[in-house]
Amino acid sequence: MIEGGEEMASLDDLKEGLLSSERETAEQPENICATDYVRNLLTSIGRRPGYLWLALGVFLQAGQMTLIGKVSNIFGVGQAVFIRCCFLVTLIFFVKWRKAREYGLREIGIVTFFGVTDILMAFSVGAANLFIWNGDVTAIIFNIPLPSIMLAWLLFGEPMDTIDIVLVLFNGCGLIFVSEPSFLFPADGTDTGHPNAAVGYMVAFLGLSCSVSVTLCPRALSYREAEDPCLMASVAGMIGIIMSSGVSAASPQWTLPNGTEEWTVVIALGVVCVGAIYSFVKALEWENVMTVSVVLTIAILLVNIYDFTFTARKPEWPKLVGVALILGSTFALKLKDILLGCYEARGE
């Protein structure tokens, strides 16, 4: 009896050990999901280079907006766009001409449309800066998440759920608070006091429509899996040189940079714009339109910080509310991706 009892106890111990192992195995995915994301964040980013291009693109886009406005005020809008396009054309020497698939008429049309809308957006930035603050211009032109993801959903079938819509709406409210447009906040004097400030806002909204188009074009070519941002940038540069030359020829203002400071601003404009458009196209090769457009709104914060630091603009409570809404919606979007990844990893 004793021996039989010992055997039964051994069997019970063995079963308990097996059950414990199964429970540990079942719990392992959840533990990995909860800790792996933080521990292997850099590895995850390395597997998704779109995030790296986005991080670079945020700073470069903010610099591009600031420099286009600055150069436009010094040399005129046409000359500012011409300078930008001269640098973009240099990327033609880095185009990878031998592709696995040749361009068809559809691809050529998309690249050409990208070039035209990119140049029109640059014109809008420069022209609007003559009437309103650069922070207002940036807030309007970069308010692209909602129209971008709506068009991407309609044209490309990219997924969009209720949470995405809510986050984008919060993001849009943040942009309104950050920009404090005079037609919504008439008492706080955020515009430059220009009598034609309304013209600046209308031009900026024209730039918004172009910005949405610029966002969708590279994504429309992402199926090629080998799109060349150098080609798209150089095409935009060639189109821009033609367009800006016509505008500059009709304008009496055409001057060469005078002094080290002006030359530095001109060269910085060209370098930053090349990096901005390159990183933008590369990001859209890897990430969807909503992710790119929402993350790039952080550039609005950077431009407004520049305005607060180096111009007469002073931060007020609407600005702080806008900052909170923009950052909150942006990080909430990322948090949603993390939670969905954990949910899928657990197999629920």
Side-chain angles (χ1 to χ4, degrees), residues 9 12 27 31 107 112 133 171 237 269-271 285 303 321 325 328:
D12 290 340
E27 293 173 357
N31 294 333
E107 288 83 359
T112 303
W133 290 106
N171 187 271
L269 171 64
V271 174
E285 287 183 14
V303 174
V321 172
L325 288 172

Side-chain angles (χ1 to χ4, degrees), residues 332-346:
L333 180 68
K334 183 58 184 173
L335 178 61
K336 174 200 166 188
D337 289 340
I338 296 174
L339 295 178
L340 286 177
C342 291
Y343 182 84
E344 293 174 357
R346 292 170 59 184

Side-chain angles (χ1 to χ4, degrees), residues 66 70 134 301-311:
T66 301
K70 190 176 184 63
N134 191 32
L301 305 180
L302 302 179
V303 174
N304 276 275
I305 289 173
Y306 176 87
D307 278 357
F308 299 151
T309 306
F310 299 102
T311 69

Side-chain angles (χ1 to χ4, degrees), residues 10 15 55 58 85 102 122 128 145-146 156 159 179 224 249 261 272 295:
S10 300
K15 290 179 180 179
V58 166
C85 294
E102 297 295 331
L146 183 57
F156 310 138
S179 62
R224 290 173 56 87
E261 181 179 354
V272 168
V295 173

Side-chain angles (χ1 to χ4, degrees), residues 116-327:
V116 173
T117 52
D118 175 75
I119 300 307
L120 289 177
M121 184 182 69
F123 270 112
S124 300
V125 172
N129 265 280
L130 302 178
F131 302 99
I132 58 178
W133 290 106
N134 191 32
D136 286 356
V137 177
T138 307
I140 293 173
I141 290 181
F142 274 79
N143 187 16
I144 58 179
L146 183 57
S148 293
I149 66 171
M150 289 294 290
L151 287 176
W153 174 62
L154 292 173
L155 299 178
F156 310 138
E158 291 193 356
M160 183 179 66
D161 55 25
T162 304
I163 297 177
D164 295 334
I165 295 176
V166 171
L167 291 177
V168 169
L169 289 176
F170 273 107
N171 187 271
C173 292
L175 299 181
I176 293 174
F177 278 104
V178 166
S179 62
E180 284 189 89
S182 59
F183 53 85
L184 292 178
F185 297 87
D188 49 27
T190 56
D191 59 29
T192 60
H194 197 285
N196 296 319
V199 176
Y201 285 110
M202 288 189 290
V203 173
F205 278 108
L206 172 62
L208 170 61
S209 63
C210 295
S211 181
V212 172
S213 301
V214 167
T215 303
L216 295 178
C217 286
R219 190 62 181 173
L221 295 174
S222 61
Y223 69 92
R224 290 173 56 87
E225 298 181 353
E227 197 50 60
D228 194 347
C230 292
L231 177 61
M232 302 188 75
S234 59
V235 169
M238 288 184 283
I239 295 173
I241 286 178
I242 297 173
M243 296 173 64
S244 60
S245 297
V247 172
S248 299
S251 173
Q253 183 180 6
W254 182 271
T255 58
L256 291 175
N258 184 20
T260 304
E261 181 179 354
E262 291 188 358
W263 276 107
T264 301
V265 171
V266 166
I267 295 174
L269 171 64
V271 174
V272 168
C273 289
V274 167
I277 194 171
Y278 187 93
S279 59
F280 178 72
V281 175
K282 291 296 292 184
L284 283 167
E285 287 183 14
W286 295 91
E287 303 299 330
N288 61 37
V289 170
M290 186 189 68
T291 300
V292 173
S293 59
V294 171
V295 173
L296 283 181
T297 57
I298 298 176
I300 298 172
L301 305 180
L302 302 179
V303 174
N304 276 275
I305 289 173
Y306 176 87
D307 278 357
F308 299 151
T309 306
F310 299 102
T311 69
R313 296 191 87 178
K314 301 298 180 183
E316 301 172 356
W317 72 264
K319 308 290 185 183
L320 300 178
V321 172
V323 168
L325 288 172
I326 291 174
L327 288 179

